[in-house]
Amino acid sequence: MAETFPFPTYIVLTIITITRLISTVGKTEVTGPSLVPSNISHRLRDDPEAIKLASSDYGNLVRHSPLAVFHPSSIYDIISLIRSSYTSSVPFHIAARGHGHSTRGQAMAPNGVVLDMSALRRNRLGGGISPVFCDPSLGSYAVDVGGEQLWIDVLQATLQHGLAPASWTDYLYLTVGGTLSNAGISGQTFRYGPQISNVHEMDVITGKGDLLTCSPEKNSELFHGVLGGLGQVGIIARARIGLQPALKRVKWVRVIYNDFSAFTRDQERLISISGDINNHKALDYLEGMLLMHQGPINNWRSSFFPSSDHPKIISLLVQHRILYCLEVVKYYDEHSEHTVDKEMQELLRGLGYVPGFYYEKNVSFVEFLNRVRSGELKLQSQGLWDVPHPWLNMFIPKSRIHDFDSGVFKDIILKRNITKGPVLVYPMNRNKWNDKMSAIIPDEEVFYTVGFLHSSGFDDWKAFDAQNRDILRFCEESGIKVKQYLAHYTTQQEWESHFGVKWGSFQERKYEFDPRMILSPGQRIFNNID
Ligand code: FAD
């Protein structure tokens, strides 16, 4: 059973000890009681700049200040930091901050220490990404990457060998450790599983400060516990990611529907065609999104429709108020460039989109995978990237997606008329997920991800938050068994209900690998941080 602490005493003592600790930074002799050994104490920062950065995240909704920010230069620094907390009579919280792209303080450590993984990215000798190699146990190519690495850098490094991971997120400026702690989903998930299904082995530093190699065969409880484990059982120091040949070009198609039944029927039919990269009959990517009259036709996630066609799309929108856009992709190279069009047309034959609302692009593989970046840079230049992001991401069982459409899209969303950011809607196959892992998904074989990716002003984010709560309340009252993705709850009871039958094993893994409840307090699962 895990140890628990009387919370107020813990905080007070932590403040005292860390304050003393910080006062010793730079001195060779430690004068007061110290939690952190002198060989790493100079890596702690408590200057306003470091504290400010670690107190906020992409969401811009919550703020929690740590007492200090730790800038490791190696995983051994991290081991020392965690051990010093674990062996102390008064342990302190530690939260790895990947790229800080959470939206609700998940990577924060109120009154604890934020472990700045970007410092490891800068400081780590050898760069943190291995050359690609053939993994003898799998007979396929793989790469070893540090948990602190950004996916964009993993892409660039592996492409030099003509290879790339199979599963992605829509946006690549996220860390390997950050997305593997959640799941890592995108349009490739229906075929290749989430990113967590593409990891073969990891080095993990547990909450006891032990560095363990784990895989489905070795230390498997740790392996499965970490993947989708919200940072609760260990820090991902290295992950071995499977690779496949990277084709150089992409055929990218969007078609528009005015009928939700036709839209979902076609999505479900298309994701039923799966298989490995050699199955040319399958798509490589499938997503979907809403188009609504209150938002621009193109958005920051990608600009696609030619401006000459905007009037035509808008007139369809005025007629129907809400449209559904299916987005699909096939990769190709010089060997398949003559057949890709035919293969795509075969796949799209008989689809029920509105005739004449077919759009396509040919772009490079990198341009496609990195498609959100240009929108980000544009928003940054307008000062619109660092605004509040009251996001809601959820998984919805296929059997209730029509009830969700009528109760949420066609009722709550249309009536409120405030949703302006992208709203994603696309299905995935449960059999591409591994139930032993910590990630939580609905029970059905096919389920949808729906993401309300709101950007708001600093004054009006509460209206979006209220809408999010109403959506969740509608689902609860209608008996739609949704699971939040990138979930945030404030009570352990809510987390228990989120994990459902997996709560027991999740708790056991926490007790085994982080018995003093040190790691990732910002998720608010085992720590009351208010
Ligand atoms: P952080 O926010 O820094 O950390 C997230 C959690 O992981 C925290 O609990 C933290 O303590 C823990 N953590 C961080 N590093 C480690 C580590 N090395 N070991 C153990 N725990 C660690 N998600 C998708 O799945 N698909 C998408 O398409 C997608 N698109 C996005 C687009 C944008 C613009 C943004 C802002 C987010 C998007 N996300 C997407 C969500 C994203 O996956 C999560 O927010 C993720 O947590 C962000 O990664 P990060 O590296 O910034 O992690």
Side-chain angles (χ1 to χ4, degrees):
M1 192 59 184
E3 295 173 52
T4 50
F5 310 104
F7 192 64
T9 321
Y10 161 52
I11 290 200
V12 170
L13 286 173
T14 304
I15 290 170
I16 294 166
T17 47
I18 292 191
T19 308
R20 285 187 186 170
L21 157 82
I22 289 165
S23 71
T24 67
V25 169
K27 295 179 188 167
T28 45
E29 223 178 76
V30 179
T31 50
S34 168
L35 297 174
V36 173
S38 54
N39 64 323
I40 55 161
S41 59
H42 64 287
R43 303 216 159 271
L44 281 169
R45 280 179 58 182
D46 70 340
D47 53 281
E49 192 194 341
I51 299 290
K52 188 173 168 213
L53 184 72
S55 310
S56 64
D57 62 18
Y58 179 79
N60 240 315
L61 302 169
V62 295
R63 243 161 247 285
H64 291 293
S65 300
L67 287 177
V69 181
F70 189 69
H71 282 213
S73 67
S74 72
I75 60 170
Y76 301 101
D77 288 346
I78 301 176
I79 292 171
S80 294
L81 178 78
I82 296 181
R83 280 198 185 149
S84 62
S85 175
Y86 179 65
T87 54
S88 160
S89 57
V90 185
F92 51 91
H93 288 144
I94 298 172
R97 177 186 162 95
H99 210 211
H101 276 52
S102 293
T103 54
R104 296 279 174 168
Q106 287 93 333
M108 294 180 196
N111 299 312
V113 174
V114 166
L115 172 55
D116 187 340
M117 299 301 276
S118 65
L120 184 61
R121 202 160 59 236
R122 284 191 303 274
N123 299 336
R124 194 172 184 162
L125 286 178
I129 303 182
S130 77
V132 306
F133 57 93
C134 190
D135 186 335
S137 62
L138 299 157
S140 57
Y141 285 98
V143 64
D144 280 339
V145 297
E148 76 286 358
Q149 294 299 316
L150 296 176
W151 283 103
I152 181 71
D153 296 327
V154 177
L155 174 64
Q156 300 293 4
T158 55
L159 275 182
Q160 290 181 11
H161 306 268
L163 299 164
S167 183
W168 292 98
T169 46
D170 293 346
Y171 173 66
L172 305 184
Y173 291 75
L174 304 169
T175 63
V176 169
T179 70
L180 296 185
S181 296
N182 289 297
I185 57 167
S186 183
Q188 296 88 357
T189 306
F190 83 88
R191 186 167 176 189
Y192 300 110
Q195 290 181 315
I196 51 173
S197 296
N198 292 268
V199 179
H200 302 317
E201 184 185 281
M202 285 181 290
D203 287 339
V204 173
I205 308 163
T206 69
K208 298 176 185 173
D210 296 329
L211 175 63
L212 298 175
T213 298
C214 59
S215 70
E217 292 79 36
K218 187 177 177 186
N219 292 317
S220 60
E221 279 301 307
L222 181 62
F223 181 78
H224 294 125
V226 166
L227 293 170
L230 308 175
Q232 294 304 305
V233 291
I235 307 288
I236 300 168
R238 172 186 67 93
R240 179 164 297 173
I241 314 284
L243 301 174
Q244 64 180 25
L247 305 189
K248 293 195 179 77
R249 305 274 315 163
V250 155
K251 184 157 200 70
W252 187 2
V253 171
R254 282 187 183 179
V255 289
I256 296 179
Y257 292 73
N258 56 22
D259 175 18
F260 190 70
S261 296
F263 171 67
T264 50
R265 186 193 58 227
D266 288 352
Q267 283 192 320
E268 287 166 24
R269 197 195 92 195
L270 290 167
I271 68 155
S272 71
I273 311 164
S274 189
D276 70 12
I277 187 142
N278 297 315
N279 181 8
H280 300 296
K281 296 213 162 80
L283 290 165
D284 289 297
Y285 165 105
L286 178 144
E287 287 199 3
M289 70 209 76
L290 302 191
L291 297 178
M292 286 170 295
H293 63 284
Q294 62 262 44
I297 301 297
N298 288 317
N299 61 53
W300 57 266
R301 277 186 69 262
S302 67
S303 131
F304 200 92
F305 303 110
S307 45
S308 55
D309 265 37
H310 286 197
K312 180 175 144 184
I313 299 172
I314 287 168
S315 125
L316 194 69
L317 260 179
V318 169
Q319 212 181 325
H320 296 280
R321 299 192 66 207
I322 191 161
L323 298 172
Y324 309 96
C325 174
L326 170 68
E327 176 177 60
V328 296
V329 154
K330 267 188 89 60
Y331 306 150
Y332 68 94
D333 61 7
E334 58 276 18
H335 302 297
S336 46
E337 69 183 328
H338 304 298
T339 52
V340 67
D341 280 334
K342 191 159 165 267
E343 286 163 1
M344 184 64 108
Q345 290 319 315
E346 293 271 303
L347 276 159
L348 303 188
R349 186 180 308 142
L351 295 194
Y353 59 89
V354 186
F357 287 83
Y358 172 100
Y359 301 91
E360 68 170 47
K361 271 187 182 183
N362 279 288
V363 297
S364 75
F365 183 63
V366 176
E367 198 182 329
F368 170 69
L369 288 183
N370 201 17
R371 60 198 175 280
V372 175
R373 180 63 167 174
S374 55
E376 175 195 351
L377 293 175
K378 198 165 159 200
L379 288 184
Q380 274 185 6
S381 69
Q382 297 164 347
L384 295 173
W385 184 250
D386 296 323
V387 297
H389 294 104
W391 284 12
L392 175 64
N393 287 277
M394 57 217 299
F395 295 137
I396 294 145
K398 168 189 148 177
S399 64
R400 303 301 304 275
I401 195 66
H402 289 275
D403 299 321
F404 191 89
D405 175 53
S406 44
V408 176
F409 297 150
K410 296 214 176 86
D411 192 22
I412 298 177
I413 299 293
L414 279 187
K415 278 189 187 146
R416 300 275 164 98
N417 201 16
I418 56 172
T419 302
K420 292 193 189 74
V423 181
L424 306 182
V425 194
Y426 59 94
M428 38 190 86
N429 296 310
R430 189 174 217 282
N431 65 6
K432 303 289 177 184
W433 295 64
N434 181 340
D435 206 32
K436 290 184 192 155
M437 294 176 184
S438 301
I440 299 297
I441 55 176
D443 267 340
E444 295 184 10
E445 279 315 307
V446 170
F447 60 91
Y448 280 77
T449 183
V450 172
F452 297 95
L453 310 184
H454 299 128
S455 300
S456 76
F458 284 88
D459 298 329
D460 59 352
W461 67 267
K462 288 198 170 140
F464 293 92
D465 225 28
Q467 177 174 287
N468 292 344
R469 280 197 302 278
D470 288 345
I471 291 170
L472 291 169
R473 191 175 310 119
F474 164 80
C475 292
E476 199 178 328
E477 286 169 1
S478 316
I480 304 178
K481 294 202 168 71
V482 303
K483 292 292 178 190
Q484 277 193 48
Y485 179 56
L486 312 170
H488 68 101
Y489 294 110
T490 48
T491 66
Q492 200 173 75
Q493 216 178 1
E494 289 171 311
W495 279 112
E496 273 189 59
S497 144
H498 172 78
F499 279 99
V501 292
K502 282 174 144 184
W503 174 246
S505 61
F506 189 71
Q507 239 181 343
E508 273 167 31
R509 286 164 173 169
K510 178 75 173 175
Y511 294 155
E512 183 178 352
F513 298 111
D514 182 21
R516 303 200 76 183
M517 311 284 159
I518 288 168
L519 300 176
S520 233
Q523 299 279 3
R524 297 159 161 236
I525 305 175
F526 297 99
N527 319 81
N528 180 358
I529 59 172
D530 285 326

